[in-house]
Amino acid sequence: MYVPKESQPKQGGGAAKARDGEKGGKRKIVAQNKKARHDYAIIDTYEAGIVLMGTEVKSLREGRTSLTDGFVQIDRGEAWLHNAHIPEYHQGSWTNHSARRKRKLLLHREEIDKLESKSQETGHTIVPLAIYFKDGRAKAEIALARGKKEYDKRQTLREKQDRRESDRAIAAAKRRQRGV
């Protein structure tokens, strides 16, 4: 049976994971900020395009980026990603980029206005959650978040541990039931 080339699965490699995106395109995740999900309560998420230089795209495709210290700031009606570490491309020349420069995020005007008004409230901030490629274009998943207190973090860890223990107990009971 003949299958057109567009519908054949693409051969991908590297350390990045692929999953279906919300709009049907493939998401090839380059970097995730797991610390943000631990330190902040996520209120709302947005997908934003990123304005990058050529060497930054090549470096992202190698999958060596870090978002742990990153944050988003709205300045004069534009969203900017600060402190995201995209290392220099090792085969680049004088056209290489600086690793921690600020990068412009592409969002709709309504989204920027909403983020700006919400982030000015006490305790709210905008954090990057992930950088990924979707249909060949670099995207950033950013979130409006509220900082967690220390007891909130402990409560989250406790709930996660309880859930894990109950799943183990259920799995053990099912194994015992099959064995009898």
Side-chain angles (χ1 to χ4, degrees):
M1 178 173 127
Y2 173 74
V3 178
K5 190 166 184 118
E6 299 87 43
S7 63
Q8 291 178 355
K10 292 184 179 180
Q11 298 296 321
K17 301 174 189 172
R19 74 172 190 154
D20 289 328
E22 294 80 33
K23 296 183 181 175
K26 290 285 186 180
R27 276 177 48 150
K28 187 174 177 183
I29 296 177
V30 177
Q32 285 186 324
N33 189 355
K34 294 180 182 177
K35 185 178 177 186
R37 293 198 184 270
H38 176 72
D39 291 342
Y40 298 98
I42 306 301
I43 298 170
D44 201 5
T45 60
Y46 298 89
E47 180 181 68
I50 313 173
V51 177
L52 297 172
M53 296 173 62
T55 54
E56 289 175 316
V57 175
K58 290 177 182 244
S59 185
L60 275 178
R61 291 199 187 278
E62 291 179 348
R64 302 180 302 132
T65 187
S66 172
L67 295 173
T68 52
D69 297 333
F71 64 96
V72 177
Q73 194 172 33
I74 309 293
D75 185 28
R76 288 186 238 136
E78 295 179 339
W80 294 90
L81 176 64
H82 293 269
N83 280 353
H85 184 264
I86 300 175
E88 289 186 355
Y89 183 57
H90 67 276
Q91 292 179 350
S93 60
W94 58 272
T95 59
N96 247 340
H97 61 279
S98 64
R100 289 209 182 262
R101 75 177 188 91
K102 67 179 188 176
R103 294 162 179 93
K104 187 175 181 179
L105 296 176
L106 305 174
L107 290 161
H108 292 283
R109 170 63 44 209
E110 300 86 35
E111 292 174 334
I112 291 174
D113 293 340
K114 183 178 178 184
L115 282 171
E116 185 173 22
S117 66
K118 291 284 189 179
S119 67
Q120 289 174 355
E121 293 177 11
T122 306
H124 290 78
T125 187
I126 308 167
V127 292
L129 297 178
I131 292 181
Y132 54 90
F133 284 101
K134 183 175 177 182
D135 296 329
R137 297 176 192 263
K139 304 280 185 178
E141 183 180 16
I142 61 173
L144 179 66
R146 185 179 60 250
K148 284 185 182 178
K149 303 285 186 204
E150 195 63 36
Y151 56 84
D152 289 335
K153 294 177 190 178
R154 284 193 298 264
Q155 180 67 25
T156 304
L157 288 174
R158 196 173 303 121
E159 288 171 1
K160 190 175 180 181
Q161 184 178 3
D162 291 344
R163 200 173 325 117
R164 195 176 296 141
E165 287 176 5
S166 66
D167 289 344
R168 284 183 188 151
I170 291 170
K174 285 183 180 180
R175 271 186 300 220
R176 275 188 258 122
Q177 190 177 21
R178 276 186 265 146
V180 173

